[in-house]
Amino acid sequence: MKQDLHEANRLSWNAATVAHNSHKGDQAAFFREGGSTLFPEEAGLLGDVKGLRVLHLQCNAGQDSLSIARLGAEVTGVDISDEAVDFATQLSQQSGIAARFVRSDVYDYFREAQARGEKHHIVFCSYGTLCWLSDIGAWARGVAQMLEPGGRFVFIEFHPFALVFDPAWKFHYDYFNEAPVPEEGVGDYVAESGDGLVREGYERGVENFANPHPSFEFTWGVGQVTTALSQAGLVIGRLDEYPYANGWKPFEGMRDIGGRRMAPPEGMPRIPLMYSISARKP
């Protein structure tokens, strides 16, 4: 693991999280009124979670964690950002939806949780998580260690093929990339996507956000991810690809084809923009 890069990313996420949440209005009221931030894809993959222990890795500011907890799960959310975990903890209290949030690098959490014998029925992560992981094999082994026998790993992510493009759909980044990719910092993708990532009541909030902290990303192809999970002992039941991105509009001309599913412009060939994996621990 590259702890120095993880620390840089923590600082970058702390700054970005403030900007992201500035666009989302009164989130506690949204949840008190029965709101959920889950898209149908992850809700379907999760299935009935009532009474189950769910570990939500890289949970960000906790909105999806609380949406899962509302369905009756006992949820633990883990994120590297102090700002995100503080916000999530406060949102849990203000919304009246119980969940536990822990500030930790996922690799540290795996080690500490394994030492105390912690196990879960479901490990879940979604949307923009893998690019922050410096060791995909250690991550997959950690996921497997956190699961009870018969437990499930549920994962949905933006497709790495889509990440080779710049905003104008020009090829720019390597699909195969062994080294961390330095960036100017976590951007305000919530503002860029507007009402795509805010279910209702988008607010202008922080404008022209420029992150003062650089960030570092890692590229993991679908083959690397599935191989790592398989080698960790998980049995992959499904791998699905989707020709749209839920909520996210990173490229020019993306259009909502219904349900905040964002697709390429009319006339452009369909390409995979998301994929999901459902796996089980024997």
Side-chain angles (χ1 to χ4, degrees), residues 32-105:
R32 286 196 300 268
E33 293 165 5
S36 172
T37 57
L38 295 177
F39 283 91
E41 288 78 10
E42 55 264 31
L45 288 164
L46 284 163
D48 184 2
V49 297
K50 189 172 183 178
L52 301 183
R53 293 187 304 279
V54 177
L55 176 62
H56 184 186
L57 300 175
Q58 296 164 276
C59 67
N60 197 260
Q63 293 91 347
D64 284 359
S65 306
L66 296 178
S67 298
I68 296 170
R70 160 162 278 146
L71 299 175
E74 180 184 326
V75 176
T76 298
V78 179
D79 199 88
I80 198 170
S81 165
D82 317 73
E83 183 68 35
V85 167
D86 287 348
F87 186 95
T89 301
Q90 185 177 21
L91 185 58
S92 173
Q93 295 167 350
Q94 293 177 346
S95 66
I97 303 173
R100 170 176 172 256
F101 293 98
V102 180
R103 207 299 308 169
S104 180
D105 186 311

Side-chain angles (χ1 to χ4, degrees), residues 122-177:
I122 296 175
V123 174
F124 172 71
C125 59
S126 64
Y127 303 117
T129 55
L130 288 190
C131 63
W132 308 107
L133 301 172
S134 59
D135 187 331
I136 199 69
W139 167 80
R141 291 189 294 274
V143 167
Q145 289 163 0
M146 291 297 97
L147 285 171
E148 295 270 14
R152 294 186 298 124
F153 173 58
V154 175
F155 166 80
I156 189 164
E157 178 61 283
F158 299 118
H159 203 291
F161 178 70
L163 304 181
V164 304
F165 298 105
D166 71 8
W169 294 104
K170 298 275 197 280
F171 284 109
H172 182 74
Y173 298 99
D174 287 340
Y175 183 92
F176 301 98
N177 197 321

Side-chain angles (χ1 to χ4, degrees), residues 232-254:
L234 298 181
V235 178
I236 296 173
R238 290 192 66 94
L239 189 160
D240 292 297
E241 298 173 293
Y242 309 86
Y244 51 83
N246 280 338
W248 188 45
K249 295 190 283 188
F251 308 115
E252 292 178 0
M254 293 190 77

Side-chain angles (χ1 to χ4, degrees), residues 21-22 36 44 61 88 91 108 114 127 136 147 155 168 187 189 192 196 210 228 232 235 259 263 271-272 274:
N21 282 316
S22 75
S36 172
L91 185 58
D108 294 335
Q114 185 182 18
Y127 303 117
I136 199 69
L147 285 171
F155 166 80
Y189 54 79
E192 293 168 2
V235 178
I271 61 172
M274 297 193 312

